[in-house]
Amino acid sequence: MKLVSTRDASRSVSLREGVLAGLAPDGGLYLPERWPQLSPAELESLRGRSFLEVARTVALRLFEETLPRDRIETIVEAALDLDIPLIELSPDTYVLELFHGPTGSFKDTGARFLSRLLPALEPSSDRPVLVVVATSGDTGGAVTHAFRNVEGARAVVLFPKGRVSAVQYEQIVSGGVGDAGVRAVSVEGSFDDCQRLVKESLADGELARKAALTSANSINIGRLLPQIFHFVHAWAQLDRPPRSFHVSVPTGNVGHLVSGVMAQRMGLPVTGLMAATNANDGLVRYIMEGETPSGPSRQTLSNAMDVAIPSNLERLIALFDGDRSKLGALVSAASYTDEDTLRAIEEVHRSSGYLIDPHTAVGWLGLQELRRSGAETGGPKVVLATAHPAKFPDVVEQATGVWPSRPEAWDPFEAGGAGSDAVARISPRMSALRPILDGVIGE
Ligand SMILES: *Cc1c(COP(=O)(O)O)cnc(C)c1O
């Protein structure tokens, strides 16, 4: 597979080069030049199969020109042996539980796949791949869990001191921080300071001689490709091929939504995608009115989607050649307030006894909108459940009076994690971060 930048389709790079670099040299984002196809017969052969089997089939199609078959299979088996059930809440209304990974977030899929893909792509076996990420939320835990003890890979997660939630902090630490290859760094500063330190690290020539440096946020196409499996899996879990098929995606940085469009380009017969956002409605305004999103972001109950200027919007626009009417034929969008979110959590619990987290609640509201809009009558509708309710227990309790119980696997002891002593605390300066990066590369 070859990749092209969203800003210049005339020059292509290999998938290997694009994933290791993250961003294109012209500042654009990479997209596949052509779409490998899943035939109707091949899709039908996936019906009722496990997530692992679905992922294996789609991954072979995506990576067959880049890596040997057995290497692709090893990556899928190591990263994606996850249980992802499709739950029917009411007739033709389904929830795809993408939260059975180690940190209870759909981000586990992309992070775990990337942690194995990166060392497989790096041509020099004596140079480790070092991922440096800034996080104010879910990505941190997903990355420390995904990269622990992965041969040839290292990860350093920077987060602003005191600005991550208790569950998020615990998950970053329980990801085996202090074990070989993973570090968590609490930065005396803001999220922007963390991002600046990531940029400075990636631009550091001396570090680049010792390790292949890259980032692991959703600007990297390596995070988005494995998310295609979610959409194919949802379709494959239905009893028979549906007449029409809609998916509602709780949306922030627009990465997951772009993966849905990519699944459609590969041949998945998805009729419509709903981009459901919280009060950060930049994407909705773009789709409805062509308005360019601007900051600042607003804090909401679904905080992993508090993004004012979604970085993957550039990909979405490029996928439809900048034509908003073409985009609108597949993707609709709607935004919801915190009040709507609480009401949705309460309604689902009252009618089905099922607990959803605030992000999934936004997606569920989008699904109701699809139903109301009438044009889409009939056919199954799936909401992607992006986080486990126990990640946001106080919001769930506020809405329902029920405190969601935590999966046992999250116990820091069960997860095999280190204590909070393992977290380095630094001032927001490269001179403070440098020895930590050198240390982890040298392991
Ligand atoms: C990151 C995240 C989202 C948003 O996904 P994007 O790809 O950024 O649009 C939604 N829900 C949860 C729980 C998340 O962590």
Side-chain angles (χ1 to χ4, degrees):
M1 178 189 281
K2 292 263 200 256
L3 303 173
V4 290
S5 164
T6 46
R7 300 192 188 171
D8 175 10
S10 68
R11 208 183 67 88
S12 65
V13 301
S14 66
L15 179 83
R16 179 186 302 274
E17 192 183 325
V19 171
L20 286 171
L23 206 63
D26 61 9
L29 306 178
Y30 284 119
L31 279 172
E33 186 174 41
R34 269 196 305 274
W35 301 96
Q37 292 298 301
L38 295 159
S39 70
E42 201 168 14
L43 281 168
E44 206 38 53
S45 76
L46 295 175
R47 191 154 307 286
R49 296 300 178 86
S50 69
F51 182 60
L52 185 64
E53 289 171 295
V54 171
R56 183 189 288 124
T57 300
V58 184
L60 283 169
R61 216 19 56 78
L62 287 168
F63 298 100
E64 64 194 346
E65 291 165 20
T66 308
L67 291 167
R69 188 188 171 94
D70 59 341
R71 190 76 199 248
I72 302 168
E73 289 180 337
T74 311
I75 294 172
V76 173
E77 275 152 30
L80 300 182
D81 193 2
L82 304 170
D83 183 30
I84 299 188
L86 183 72
I87 310 286
E88 186 166 16
L89 276 192
S90 57
D92 276 344
T93 299
Y94 297 85
V95 179
L96 188 70
E97 293 189 345
L98 293 169
F99 50 68
H100 294 286
T103 72
S105 148
F106 85 97
K107 291 194 171 71
D108 284 323
T109 311
R112 288 169 65 82
F113 193 87
L114 189 66
S115 71
R116 267 80 181 185
L117 178 66
L118 284 169
L121 293 179
E122 166 58 30
S124 153
S125 58
D126 48 46
R127 209 165 72 126
V129 178
L130 171 62
V131 157
V132 190
V133 270
T135 178
S136 58
D138 278 357
T139 307
V143 166
T144 61
H145 275 264
F147 281 77
R148 67 194 275 195
N149 299 328
V150 177
E151 205 178 319
R154 313 274 189 275
V156 174
V157 169
L158 308 176
F159 62 90
K161 182 184 168 192
R163 312 256 181 101
V164 295
S165 77
V167 176
Q168 286 164 340
Y169 182 85
E170 236 179 86
Q171 290 190 325
I172 290 172
V173 173
S174 68
V177 167
D179 289 22
V182 179
R183 294 284 187 285
V185 183
S186 164
V187 176
E188 241 11 289
S190 65
F191 178 62
D192 292 328
D193 288 317
C194 297
Q195 275 191 312
R196 177 178 49 77
L197 287 170
V198 170
K199 282 203 189 121
E200 286 180 33
S201 308
L202 297 184
D204 189 313
E206 207 176 307
L207 282 172
R209 274 189 290 282
K210 293 186 278 186
L213 284 138
T214 188
S215 186
N217 50 31
S218 64
I219 60 161
N220 195 319
I221 187 83
R223 277 265 306 268
L224 302 193
L225 294 173
Q227 292 173 176
I228 295 172
F229 312 154
H230 299 164
F231 294 82
V232 180
H233 182 64
W235 182 87
Q237 299 318 297
L238 300 167
D239 290 338
R240 66 187 83 84
R243 229 171 353 104
S244 76
F245 169 61
H246 291 79
V247 183
S248 177
V249 187
T251 295
N253 225 346
V254 187
H256 215 178
L257 185 73
V258 162
S259 301
V261 176
M262 299 203 279
Q264 192 247 8
R265 295 293 159 92
M266 290 181 73
L268 185 74
V270 50
T271 323
L273 296 167
M274 162 61 79
T277 76
N278 59 29
N280 294 282
D281 60 353
L283 175 70
V284 183
R285 283 159 175 270
Y286 170 78
I287 290 179
M288 302 293 204
E289 289 136 42
E291 233 176 81
T292 306
S294 58
S297 64
R298 296 193 217 169
Q299 274 193 12
T300 74
L301 295 176
S302 46
N303 62 18
M305 311 196 304
D306 290 351
V307 180
I309 308 172
S311 46
N312 281 294
L313 178 57
E314 181 164 338
R315 275 199 175 102
L316 192 65
I317 293 172
L319 280 166
F320 294 92
D321 307 315
D323 183 338
R324 273 200 307 121
S325 63
K326 275 204 263 172
L327 167 62
L330 180 67
V331 182
S332 43
S335 110
Y336 300 95
T337 64
D338 279 349
E339 269 173 34
D340 298 332
T341 305
L342 289 167
R343 178 175 52 78
I345 298 172
E346 193 275 327
E347 255 178 52
V348 171
H349 181 248
R350 184 160 35 81
S351 60
S352 332
Y354 185 77
L355 292 178
I356 55 175
D357 96 290
H359 303 79
T360 307
V362 170
W364 186 81
L365 288 161
L367 189 144
Q368 304 307 311
E369 178 65 37
L370 277 177
R371 206 174 281 299
R372 258 196 312 276
S373 65
E376 344 276 4
T377 44
K381 295 179 176 46
V382 177
V383 53
L384 302 185
T386 51
H388 194 290
K391 278 199 102 156
F392 303 90
D394 33 6
V395 181
V396 173
E397 187 186 42
Q398 186 187 342
T400 63
V402 178
W403 185 265
S405 58
R406 296 165 57 118
E408 251 170 57
W410 289 8
D411 187 312
F413 181 71
E414 293 276 338
S420 59
D421 290 352
V423 177
R425 293 171 181 78
I426 65 164
S427 60
R429 279 197 301 273
M430 200 55 209
S431 57
L433 178 59
R434 201 47 206 277
I436 295 172
L437 300 178
D438 283 332
V440 79
I441 291 171
E443 265 168 13

